[in-house]
Amino acid sequence: MAPATVAQATASKATVSNVLNGTGRVGEETRQRVLQIAEREGYVANFAAKSLRAAETRTVGIVTPDISNVFFSSIVMRLERELYNAGYASFACDTENDPQREASYIKSMLHKQVDGLVFVNGKRRLDLSALPTKVPTVVLDRITTGTHERFVSVDNDVRQMTHDMTKTLLDRGCTRVALVAVSASSHPLSESSRYLGYVEALAEAGVRLDQNLVLRGMHSRPSNIEAAELVSGLLERGGSVDGIVAIGDRVAIGAVKAIEAHGLNVGSDVLVIGCDDTPIARLFTPTLSSVNRNVDKLASRAAEALIALMNGEVLEQAQIIVDRQVVERTSTLGQ
Amino acid sequence: MAPATVAQATASKATVSNVLNGTGRVGEETRQRVLQIAEREGYVANFAAKSLRAAETRTVGIVTPDISNVFFSSIVMRLERELYNAGYASFACDTENDPQREASYIKSMLHKQVDGLVFVNGKRRLDLSALPTKVPTVVLDRITTGTHERFVSVDNDVRQMTHDMTKTLLDRGCTRVALVAVSASSHPLSESSRYLGYVEALAEAGVRLDQNLVLRGMHSRPSNIEAAELVSGLLERGGSVDGIVAIGDRVAIGAVKAIEAHGLNVGSDVLVIGCDDTPIARLFTPTLSSVNRNVDKLASRAAEALIALMNGEVLEQAQIIVDRQVVERTSTLGQ
DNA sequence: TTGAAAGCGATACCAC
DNA sequence: GTGGTATCGCTTTCAA
């Protein structure tokens, strides 16, 4: 197991190392002999010793808020693959949106001397001050300014996404479009990019903004339940609606349930569009229109940027915006 | 950064180490001084050096077939949490069901001298021969015999699950219960535990087994699509069915779509039950009855066992069976 | 072409 | 109480 074992056989530590790494000059005969013994003994180099010596780990840490959420886990999967292809192993940690675990994981990763970090933003905004100051870092799912120069953030343009969603409904003839948001953040909705994109699209179409159509839940319960209640409340108050912009697919599902419970038809009486284009959008009945955030591209741009940073390259772009597509299905197209 | 920095300040490497680890005897005054400097300099111990010295990494590797699948990602999340609480960091790798990446990851983890391994079985049966021979290992989602003594496998009893599902439908009066399976495995369905559980439940109820009701797809396309085609085919051939045991929630969804497309009502004309109780079961319309595999328990038993193994304990049970519950919803209860 | 030896950072022993 | 020193496994430099 130990290199000694392999070395003892016939060659010195140095030679064995050279053979196994293809470095230095080694006689063909010796090479074969060492290789054979290493194989037979099932020799695996000691990573700790290696990284101690090399002062690099070829490892990156990935911190996610909630890996059981498809959106995040798809991102992690894709990140891992890209990094893996570039010769890096990934270390994925799930903080379950717990700031304490977040801090602890950051510490742990630094401790492990990761060569790079990816932080995926969650419900709760990442506390960037906790980020290390030197390690190449990518923040995903949120555009922000870094604390140091080896820092990049990657996201879609949330405002544009909401704009697109709203415009999609308006283009299909809706005139009473509601915005349904669910978020634990204390940030007022009226100052969010979501709201801005919504308002902007209304304005462009010359449709009057009605604050009664701006609904917001605090994410105290599952978002679909909360959304259903918000929409039910609106309908019960006699509010007229013919379109719903939901900030997520689960929110959209809640809205659909509420609409149907009130005897209205989704896709004709009321059009609904969700966001994130999660697998459920295709499986749900009616199939849900949604905005595809290009998760693959999001992750690959992030991986790409991180790899560049780890290679010591200086990026001219510290903020990367990934495009998105509206995917229309039954909930806006009708049967 | 380097311990030297901290040490240089006032104390020797040895003393600094003692302070930072609470080992040995150190004067209170020195202690405070060192602590302060370490804090100020943002000192983080070098993990590589530490593990090299200690010959342990307090790290476990987790290998999953597909982290974008909720079932697997929930397991990973839970595993990470439990291991984290026990002082272990986890290293999650997604093989995307690729045998080559699987082997490569195993190698990489050994290379990193992980203290333990968790292998989560996927569609494709894990190639156990590739597993290391000494490292404490847990195989999750499949019961099997280990290659060495520090080996445990954890799973539900698949046969019992299918038995429960079938019995649930029979108890509700179904007499023509179909089994719908989708799997890429070359293993014949008729020899699988699924099939055995199904047949057993039929036999117990004195219901005749009809091979026309045993449907199987090869997972060449998304399982819901494949399942829909299988069920459609059955209905078009004029086969009578009043119950469907689907081996997964997506399969169940496909079945539901096919049934509805044929003008039949799910929950009254045909009862449907899925498996895994994924989030979509609750969100789908009609809500799906399913078997909850107790993912949390599955993961925590696995973590528990692994921790014990890593502590050098010898487990009396090398195979751990976790119980499961049938959760009935609209698709078997009706409105 | 091969190998002896230094040194990466941390810890544990044992003198002082 | 404190610190010098050997050691973990590996790579690298330099001498043979």
Side-chain angles (χ1 to χ4, degrees):
Chain A
M1 201 62 163
T5 316
V6 180
Q8 270 163 23
T10 48
S12 73
K13 290 204 300 178
T15 303
V16 172
S17 170
N18 278 331
V19 170
L20 264 27
N21 295 295
T23 52
R25 243 158 289 284
V26 184
E28 185 52 24
E29 199 184 332
T30 328
R31 218 181 71 81
Q32 289 303 336
R33 190 158 21 91
V34 171
L35 242 32
Q36 203 175 27
I37 299 176
E39 169 71 15
R40 169 156 52 77
E41 304 290 320
Y43 171 77
V44 203
N46 183 304
F47 178 73
K50 214 164 179 154
S51 11
L52 175 57
R53 186 70 235 258
E56 75 159 27
T57 54
R58 301 292 300 182
T59 297
V60 326
I62 303 178
V63 181
T64 24
D66 175 14
I67 231 181
S68 68
N69 177 318
V70 209
F71 177 70
F72 296 125
S73 61
S74 307
I75 284 184
V76 170
M77 183 176 79
R78 183 61 182 239
L79 275 174
E80 288 201 355
R81 195 197 318 175
E82 303 261 338
L83 289 166
Y84 176 79
N85 288 337
Y88 289 91
S90 319
F91 207 130
C93 299
D94 183 351
T95 64
E96 295 181 59
N97 274 299
D98 176 351
Q100 214 165 334
R101 282 183 64 182
E102 189 175 297
S104 153
Y105 271 132
I106 292 178
K107 185 137 196 187
S108 153
M109 316 218 107
L110 290 182
H111 176 216
K112 298 212 170 58
Q113 329 285 130
V114 292
D115 293 344
L117 284 173
V118 180
F119 280 77
V120 187
N121 196 48
K123 286 190 216 99
R124 205 179 48 75
R125 296 197 125 210
L126 273 177
D127 179 9
L128 296 173
S129 69
L131 288 183
T133 42
K134 291 180 200 143
V135 182
T137 303
V138 173
V139 167
L140 199 42
D141 193 28
R142 162 153 171 220
I143 290 297
T144 178
T145 357
T147 45
H148 58 296
E149 64 296 343
R150 305 173 75 181
F151 186 100
V152 171
S153 59
V154 182
D155 198 5
N156 306 99
D157 184 325
V158 177
R159 177 166 155 189
Q160 274 186 350
M161 287 199 299
T162 326
H163 173 278
D164 290 359
M165 294 161 75
T166 311
K167 183 163 187 307
T168 301
L169 301 189
L170 294 170
D171 284 353
R172 297 219 165 272
C174 297
T175 55
R176 301 277 305 161
V177 177
L179 173 67
V180 184
V182 165
S183 151
S185 154
S186 58
H187 197 70
L189 180 59
S190 62
E191 286 170 22
S192 70
S193 312
R194 300 271 184 198
Y195 182 78
L196 290 178
Y198 167 73
V199 171
E200 191 174 32
L202 291 180
E204 283 171 9
V207 172
R208 159 173 292 112
L209 167 65
D210 178 351
Q211 288 295 346
N212 294 314
L213 295 179
V214 178
L215 306 174
R216 188 216 169 135
M218 293 309 290
H219 210 309
S220 41
R221 276 149 312 138
S223 53
N224 53 312
I225 308 279
E226 221 164 20
E229 289 175 0
L230 290 169
V231 174
S232 271
L234 175 64
L235 294 169
E236 273 154 23
R237 284 195 301 278
S240 83
V241 212
D242 57 11
I244 292 195
V245 170
I247 61 136
D249 288 340
R250 280 184 85 119
V251 171
I253 285 173
V256 167
K257 295 246 162 110
I259 293 163
E260 288 175 342
H262 282 258
L264 296 169
N265 182 275
V266 172
S268 52
D269 299 329
V270 186
L271 309 192
V272 176
I273 187 165
C275 189
D276 292 358
D277 198 18
T278 49
I280 204 174
R282 235 181 309 268
L283 295 172
F284 194 68
T285 314
T287 54
L288 286 178
S289 299
S290 194
V291 180
N292 188 303
R293 297 183 57 184
N294 278 331
V295 176
D296 276 5
K297 206 189 263 187
L298 227 34
S300 58
R301 298 302 293 283
E304 209 172 87
L306 186 63
I307 292 168
L309 286 178
M310 292 189 298
N311 283 338
E313 296 171 28
V314 178
L315 301 180
E316 70 288 359
Q317 240 192 336
Q319 308 194 333
I320 299 175
I321 305 293
V322 171
D323 57 342
R324 72 290 160 203
Q325 281 99 32
V326 169
V327 181
E328 290 200 78
R329 301 199 182 87
T330 318
S331 70
T332 60
L333 296 175
Q335 290 310 332
Chain B
M1 202 63 165
T5 316
V6 180
Q8 270 163 21
T10 48
S12 73
K13 289 203 306 177
T15 304
V16 171
S17 171
N18 279 330
V19 170
L20 265 25
N21 295 293
T23 51
R25 246 155 288 285
V26 184
E28 184 53 22
E29 201 184 330
T30 326
R31 220 179 70 81
Q32 289 304 335
R33 191 157 25 88
V34 172
L35 242 33
Q36 205 176 22
I37 299 177
E39 169 72 17
R40 171 155 52 76
E41 304 291 319
Y43 171 77
V44 203
N46 183 304
F47 180 72
K50 214 166 179 154
S51 358
L52 174 57
R53 186 71 235 255
E56 75 160 24
T57 53
R58 301 292 301 177
T59 297
V60 327
I62 303 176
V63 181
T64 25
D66 175 13
I67 232 182
S68 69
N69 176 317
V70 208
F71 177 71
F72 296 126
S73 61
S74 305
I75 283 184
V76 171
M77 184 175 80
R78 183 59 181 240
L79 276 174
E80 288 200 357
R81 194 197 317 176
E82 304 262 337
L83 289 166
Y84 176 80
N85 289 337
Y88 290 91
S90 318
F91 207 131
C93 299
D94 183 352
T95 65
E96 295 180 58
N97 273 300
D98 175 352
Q100 212 165 337
R101 283 183 64 180
E102 189 175 297
S104 154
Y105 271 132
I106 292 177
K107 185 138 198 186
S108 154
M109 319 218 102
L110 291 182
H111 176 217
K112 297 213 171 56
Q113 327 286 133
V114 293
D115 294 344
L117 284 174
V118 180
F119 279 76
V120 187
N121 196 47
K123 285 191 219 96
R124 205 178 47 76
R125 295 198 125 209
L126 272 178
D127 178 9
L128 295 173
S129 70
L131 287 184
T133 43
K134 291 179 197 144
V135 180
T137 303
V138 173
V139 167
L140 199 42
D141 193 28
R142 160 151 173 221
I143 290 297
T144 178
T145 355
T147 44
H148 59 294
E149 64 295 345
R150 305 173 75 181
F151 185 100
V152 171
S153 60
V154 182
D155 199 4
N156 307 100
D157 185 325
V158 176
R159 176 166 160 187
Q160 274 187 351
M161 286 199 299
T162 324
H163 174 276
D164 290 359
M165 293 161 76
T166 312
K167 183 166 189 305
T168 301
L169 300 189
L170 294 170
D171 284 352
R172 296 219 165 270
C174 297
T175 55
R176 300 277 304 163
V177 176
L179 173 66
V180 183
V182 165
S183 151
S185 156
S186 58
H187 198 69
L189 180 60
S190 61
E191 284 169 25
S192 70
S193 311
R194 300 271 182 198
Y195 181 79
L196 290 178
Y198 167 74
V199 171
E200 190 174 33
L202 290 179
E204 282 171 10
V207 171
R208 160 173 290 112
L209 168 66
D210 178 352
Q211 289 294 348
N212 295 314
L213 294 179
V214 178
L215 307 174
R216 190 222 166 130
M218 292 309 290
H219 211 308
S220 40
R221 274 148 314 138
S223 52
N224 52 311
I225 307 278
E226 220 162 22
E229 291 176 359
L230 289 170
V231 175
S232 272
L234 176 64
L235 293 170
E236 274 154 23
R237 285 193 301 275
S240 83
V241 210
D242 58 10
I244 292 195
V245 170
I247 62 135
D249 288 340
R250 280 184 84 120
V251 172
I253 285 174
V256 167
K257 294 246 163 112
I259 293 162
E260 287 176 343
H262 282 259
L264 295 169
N265 182 276
V266 172
S268 52
D269 300 329
V270 186
L271 309 192
V272 176
I273 187 164
C275 189
D276 293 357
D277 198 18
T278 48
I280 204 174
R282 235 182 309 270
L283 294 173
F284 195 68
T285 313
T287 54
L288 286 178
S289 299
S290 194
V291 181
N292 188 304
R293 298 182 55 182
N294 278 331
V295 176
D296 277 5
K297 206 188 263 187
L298 224 36
S300 58
R301 297 302 292 285
E304 210 171 85
L306 185 63
I307 291 167
L309 286 178
M310 292 189 296
N311 284 338
E313 295 171 30
V314 177
L315 300 180
E316 71 286 1
Q317 240 192 336
Q319 308 194 333
I320 300 176
I321 305 290
V322 170
D323 57 342
R324 73 289 159 200
Q325 280 99 32
V326 169
V327 181
E328 290 201 78
R329 301 203 180 86
T330 318
S331 70
T332 59
L333 295 175
Q335 293 309 333

